[in-house]
Amino acid sequence: MAGIGIPGVSDKYKTNDLVEGLMKVERIPLTREQDTLETYKTQQSAWRDVNQKMSSLRDSVKSLYSYDNPFNNKLASSSDEFAITASAGRDAAYDSFKVDVITPATCDRLLSDEIEKGEEVPEGTYTFKTGDKTISYKWRGGKIEDFIASLNKRGANTIKASLIGVNKGKKALLIESLKTGSENRLVFEGAALDYALKKQIIKKTSSTTKTFGTKPNEAALPPADKASESERQGMPKLSNAGIKAGDKGLYIPPRGGAQIKIPSSMASSQNTRVEFSFKAKQVEDITQAINQGHDEPDIPAAGSVTYGGVTVRQSQSETGIVAPEAPPEPLEEIRSNSVLYVLTSDGQESELEIPAEAWSFDPQSGDGAQVTIGVDANKFPGLSALVIRNRNTGVALELGEMSAFDAKKGLGFEAVHPVSEAGDAVIKYEGITITRSQNDIDDVVPGVTLHLADKTERPATISIRPDTESAKDALIQFVGKYNQTVAEINVLSQNKPEIVQELDYLTSDEKEAYQKKLGLFFNDFSLSSAKGSMQRIISAQYKFSESAEVTMLNQIGISTNATNYSGYNPGKMRGYLEIDEKKLDEHLKNNLEDIKKIFGYDSDGDLIVDSGIGYLIDKQLTSYVQTGGILANKDSVLNRQIDSTQKKISRLESQLDDKEAELRAKYGQMEGTLNSLERQQDGITNFTKQNQRNNN
């Protein structure tokens, strides 16, 4: 309450000071409660800081043994990064392999004749197709620049158009498909076709298709190869004798082989494409009949005759059959998906990839899915013939009629000024020729994605190796989080100023804040218990296998004295971890799997991680930071204490306001009375003086 103030009257009795002095005594309980509230809030803030540090450490150690742990990260390098690169997933195997990029995947990029600036594009319905995508819209007519803007707006990630300067003052229209692969050729329909023909983007053409490979007499014996020659003795050699004419094609029985020549007139063109259907069928395996043929002949006994108690036995018949010294071992069934090859004029063979669904046999019919196989002459220079080697003993093949045609003329049109034409990516991996419609190929090498950019002059070597840098970074981060947690515990549980001064990484403001928290929980057992448990986990041995070379953290250069300091240093007694970087690098290079295991491994064979530094620290800290855990309970208790104290403060403040009002009212009344008495006294004094003057 404000002090007493009456206009024209001074505070000559010091009533305000008297009231303030009395209220200062009355406020002592309030001040005590306010100090208590501030202490509770400081403690709550400190516990929340501990929670944050422990949660951060828990997240760090969890990442060291979870499925996403950095020890499983892989790096891929290429010996020809201008032509091919690779990215390795966590499931990729450490390996080194060679990939030859015959050609990367390309898209249709078609150029027109010269176009005048501001030229009009006639109205109509313009339709563009690429693969399974169609862009179609009505154009009301207008300038070429507006037409391009309209097409690009609708084309999104499918089609793009632009004007390209080809001569001084002259431009040409470039229309391109944004999807690579031969199946994504750019097709014009409606007004778009008329305009493309008019501007010489494309022109009409005719296509000639030749069929072959439907008669058994077209199937010559396949060339000999090492794989067939090395097969076990007793297995029939590959033969074309059992090849039959099937439904518009050829039937190749088990152990059947053939070489089918491509018509020379078509093979000589680099634009030729050969297509045919392929189907695999499960049939009775021939190995059973072959093995039965190896049994010894069953020769009946010679017999005997008895007369008069005398038995005469006949001699064994002489058949001339000599039993083998030891029966041959039974032959085993042969299963192989390598059955189709391309033969070039130089005698080289390249295996053709067959889609996996062709070998997924239906349980009822025993048939695999029918697929279409395509062979492009530009991917196999000197294309001469197709070779079939059905090494299987229980699978027959059905090849449909083979068609050879000019791929560029297959749609009835061909580009006039092609910048590039849609084509599949072609690579050779392990001797197998593989085609894909995209330049990012992720289904050839498990866990590895290949990124094609250009042809390779020679096979590029792709190497998959461990990403030790990310593992090292994760370990350094773990050590940092661990030390921050230990520092927080040391500051709160000990009352030694030097603890704060030893933390060189703190700013001056942070050190000042830590000084205020120093020893705040000096007698709290939960903090010292947490620190002790973590130290025991860090220093323990983890024998995850008998052959393990690294079983302790200090072996890889992480310990409380990694620098091997021999003198006395109190700071080294606080429990902080240090890193010997050279030693850590060496072990990451040579013992990465062991380091991974000491942070988390399965000790009882149930395929669930149940031991290791990461697992145990995670488990220990979870009891502190989880909902309803140790720190949550401490925060909850402090919340109740804060609420209770705030209520006491509110009550005391109300009481003090009433008390101050009461005191000021009383002392104000007193001062008013005194002032009145003083005025009366002054009046009497003045009256007395006046009478004295009158009497004189």
Side-chain angles (χ1 to χ4, degrees), residues 153-337:
K153 183 179 178 180
R154 294 171 172 82
N157 298 321
T158 306
I159 294 174
K160 179 183 176 183
S162 58
L163 282 176
I164 305 296
V166 289
N167 286 316
K168 187 175 182 180
K170 298 290 185 179
K171 293 188 176 183
L173 174 63
L174 176 66
I175 298 182
E176 54 188 313
S177 166
L178 299 180
K179 292 188 173 184
T180 58
S182 58
E183 61 185 15
N184 294 315
R185 294 184 183 278
L186 189 55
V187 178
F188 303 86
E189 293 183 358
L193 176 59
D194 295 337
Y195 188 73
L197 289 169
K198 179 181 177 182
K199 293 301 174 182
Q200 287 291 290
I201 298 174
I202 57 175
K203 65 180 180 180
K204 290 184 178 181
T205 185
S206 59
S207 176
T208 302
T209 300
K210 289 191 175 183
T211 59
F212 60 100
T214 59
K215 301 176 182 178
N217 60 9
E218 294 182 76
L221 274 173
D225 72 319
K226 294 181 179 179
S228 299
E229 292 174 354
S230 63
E231 285 172 348
R232 185 170 172 180
Q233 187 177 3
M235 187 64 72
K237 292 184 178 181
L238 299 184
S239 170
N240 62 349
I243 295 178
K244 302 176 182 177
D247 185 14
K248 293 185 179 180
L250 297 176
Y251 174 86
I252 314 294
R255 304 299 296 171
Q259 175 180 319
I260 301 174
K261 288 188 176 182
I262 297 171
S264 57
S265 59
M266 301 301 295
S268 60
S269 172
Q270 290 299 301
N271 298 327
T272 294
R273 179 176 176 83
V274 177
E275 286 187 356
F276 57 93
S277 64
F278 174 91
K279 187 175 183 179
K281 305 178 64 172
Q282 288 183 322
V283 296
E284 184 178 355
D285 202 289
I286 64 174
T287 54
Q288 184 177 358
I290 296 173
N291 289 332
Q292 287 177 349
H294 290 162
D295 292 343
E296 294 184 26
D298 186 10
I299 302 174
S304 62
V305 61
T306 302
Y307 180 75
V310 178
T311 299
V312 179
R313 301 183 184 279
Q314 297 187 38
S315 298
Q316 188 71 31
S317 300
E318 294 184 3
T319 63
I321 299 175
V322 179
E325 295 181 2
E329 294 182 8
L331 297 173
E332 296 181 357
E333 299 175 0
I334 295 177
R335 290 288 181 268
S336 175
N337 295 353

Side-chain angles (χ1 to χ4, degrees), residues 86 93 95-99 429-430 445 448 450 460-464:
D95 195 7
S96 180
F97 52 88
K98 293 184 181 296
V99 177
Y429 168 74
E430 300 294 337
V445 183
V448 178
L450 303 174
T461 300
I462 306 296
S463 300
I464 311 299

Side-chain angles (χ1 to χ4, degrees), residues 47-108:
W47 282 123
R48 288 176 177 176
D49 287 342
V50 172
N51 191 314
Q52 187 271 329
K53 293 291 193 300
M54 286 187 171
S55 297
S56 183
L57 173 59
R58 176 173 174 253
D59 292 341
S60 179
V61 297
K62 202 177 189 71
S63 70
L64 291 174
Y65 77 90
S66 66
Y67 173 77
D68 294 327
N69 71 80
F71 306 109
N72 285 338
N73 291 347
K74 310 292 195 311
L75 288 177
S77 62
S78 169
S79 62
D80 189 352
E81 294 190 349
F82 291 103
I84 179 173
T85 58
S87 54
R90 300 172 61 82
D91 297 330
Y94 298 130
D95 195 7
S96 180
F97 52 88
K98 293 184 181 296
V99 177
D100 193 4
V101 181
I102 308 302
T103 179
T106 53
C107 59
D108 270 336

Side-chain angles (χ1 to χ4, degrees), residues 585-653:
D585 288 339
E586 179 183 351
H587 281 282
L588 284 172
K589 180 180 179 181
N590 301 319
N591 300 297
L592 185 64
E593 190 64 24
D594 284 2
I595 296 174
K596 170 187 171 183
K597 289 291 180 61
I598 67 172
F599 278 94
Y601 65 95
D602 170 25
S603 64
D604 55 12
D606 63 354
L607 303 180
I608 298 175
V609 173
D610 55 16
S611 189
I613 295 171
Y615 171 82
L616 294 176
I617 290 183
D618 176 22
K619 185 177 179 182
Q620 174 69 24
L621 295 179
T622 297
S623 65
Y624 280 79
V625 303
Q626 67 182 349
T627 303
I630 295 172
L631 298 182
N633 287 334
K634 289 183 179 294
D635 187 71
S636 179
V637 170
L638 284 169
N639 273 332
R640 291 195 295 271
Q641 291 174 330
I642 289 172
D643 290 342
S644 175
T645 303
Q646 286 175 332
K647 289 177 181 178
K648 287 181 182 179
I649 289 173
S650 296
R651 186 170 62 252
L652 287 171
E653 286 176 339

